[in-house]
Amino acid sequence: MIKFGCTSLGSYPDAIAVAKLNKLDTYEVACERAKYPRSPVDTGDMLVSIHGPYFISLTNNDKYTDNLSHVVRLVNAASKIGADRVIIHSSLSTRKVSDYEVIVAHLSNFIDHIPELKRGSIKIALENPGNSNIYGSDLSELLKVIATVPQIIPCIDIGHVSSASGGACRGRRYYEDIFDAMLCYFGDSYVMNNLHFHVSQQEFSNKGELRHTNFGDGYLPEIDPFIEFLVSLGKRCNARVICESKSNLIKDTLTMKNKYLSLIR
């Protein structure tokens, strides 16, 4: 079954309480400005992931040592609170010819130095950016990296896909094409058990993402076709869907979850 949750509900202990109260299935801790949770909290059956600080950029060779230090802290925090995934962006910088090699070197270095990543008890989920001139905004670039470093899984941000493509992310077929591309790279069992989505509607320009919005504010991507796509995957799919709306996080998460449940029964 698909797990629905959100991010950014406040400080970690309080956020878990709010998420449990609203019957969310999963929660993603947002580590802005390198503030990592330090204390475990009883999460019950809720699945927990951690989103790394926005400034971690894997195409910046000058930040190689700094990035490793931040990922070590993220993994340590994940271990303490029972999270099994750490989400980081592929890049913040304008696309360069060397980006693929630099990102692969970064990720391989993380795995070599961090035991939890090497044995797979915690996985890095690599997220696609929302601007078209950054490496990884083309999902084939992201999938190529992940295929090269097998311990890494994809985090597909459908708001970023929409913004980076200028709004092309429309209709159920678009999501099916993304899924089919992942199947070609990784196979059915891997994809069905490692799907991790971020979902928000976004305002964007011709360069890509400007800001997140709430459902119903009139922006893309369309949510209903995405939910219909998830339903088409069947109950054996173990995807996580994390809502990143501007402010209506609980409301928009439950909108997706309730729509999904109404269609899958």
Side-chain angles (χ1 to χ4, degrees):
M1 292 284 283
I2 310 295
K3 306 292 186 183
F4 290 88
C6 66
T7 187
S8 301
L9 293 177
S11 64
Y12 178 64
D14 294 338
I16 291 295
V18 171
K20 290 170 71 175
L21 180 66
N22 286 278
K23 296 182 169 52
L24 304 190
D25 312 306
T26 182
Y27 181 70
E28 192 157 291
V29 183
C31 296
E32 299 296 334
R33 298 179 295 278
K35 292 183 178 179
Y36 307 126
R38 293 183 171 85
S39 302
V41 177
D42 180 12
T43 59
D45 295 330
M46 189 180 303
L47 301 174
V48 180
S49 52
I50 293 182
H51 197 307
Y54 70 92
F55 52 74
I56 296 176
S57 179
L58 302 187
T59 55
N60 189 339
N61 264 325
D62 294 336
K63 296 292 184 180
Y64 197 84
T65 302
D66 288 346
N67 285 342
L68 175 60
S69 296
H70 281 299
V71 173
V72 167
R73 294 189 191 102
L74 281 166
V75 171
N76 287 341
S79 296
K80 288 177 182 176
I81 67 173
D84 63 345
R85 294 179 182 178
V86 169
I87 290 80
I88 55 177
H89 291 126
S90 60
S91 178
L92 298 176
S93 306
T94 301
R95 186 185 276 102
K96 303 183 295 295
V97 172
S98 61
D99 284 346
Y100 165 75
E101 289 81 7
V102 176
I103 293 175
V104 167
H106 262 94
L107 294 172
S108 299
N109 187 51
F110 297 160
I111 292 164
D112 287 343
H113 285 85
I114 304 173
E116 294 89 342
L117 298 181
K118 182 171 285 190
R119 64 174 176 262
S121 57
I122 295 173
K123 294 182 182 291
I124 286 178
L126 193 63
E127 179 180 346
N128 56 302
N131 295 307
S132 58
N133 63 345
I134 296 177
Y135 189 91
S137 58
D138 181 333
L139 289 183
S140 64
E141 296 171 334
L142 194 81
L143 299 181
K144 179 182 177 183
V145 167
I146 295 166
T148 306
V149 189
Q151 294 92 333
I152 309 302
I153 66 173
C155 173
I156 306 298
D157 188 313
I158 68 165
H160 286 174
V161 172
S162 179
S163 292
S165 66
C169 188
R170 293 173 181 263
R172 174 175 155 181
R173 182 68 247 176
Y174 201 99
Y175 304 111
E176 291 171 346
D177 288 344
I178 293 172
F179 181 76
D180 290 344
M182 287 191 283
L183 286 179
C184 289
Y185 272 95
F186 310 117
D188 180 85
S189 179
Y190 173 99
V191 175
M192 294 297 265
N193 288 290
N194 289 294
L195 286 174
H196 194 112
F197 291 104
H198 286 173
V199 181
S200 66
Q201 293 187 311
Q202 297 186 359
E203 184 179 356
F204 56 87
S205 70
N206 59 352
K207 294 182 179 179
E209 175 188 16
L210 293 175
R211 60 187 61 84
H212 290 208
T213 64
N214 295 315
F215 292 180
D217 285 351
Y219 295 97
L220 295 172
E222 301 164 316
I223 300 302
D224 282 356
F226 175 67
I227 300 301
E228 291 164 6
F229 155 72
L230 294 177
V231 170
S232 74
L233 300 179
K235 294 183 179 181
R236 70 184 181 91
C237 180
N238 294 311
R240 299 185 201 181
V241 177
I242 303 295
C243 179
E244 291 189 326
S245 289
K246 178 182 178 181
S247 57
N248 292 344
L249 288 158
I250 296 291
K251 177 183 176 183
D252 289 352
T253 301
L254 293 178
T255 293
M256 290 192 291
K257 180 175 181 177
N258 292 336
K259 174 76 171 179
Y260 171 80
L261 292 176
S262 72
L263 293 175
I264 205 166
R265 287 178 181 142

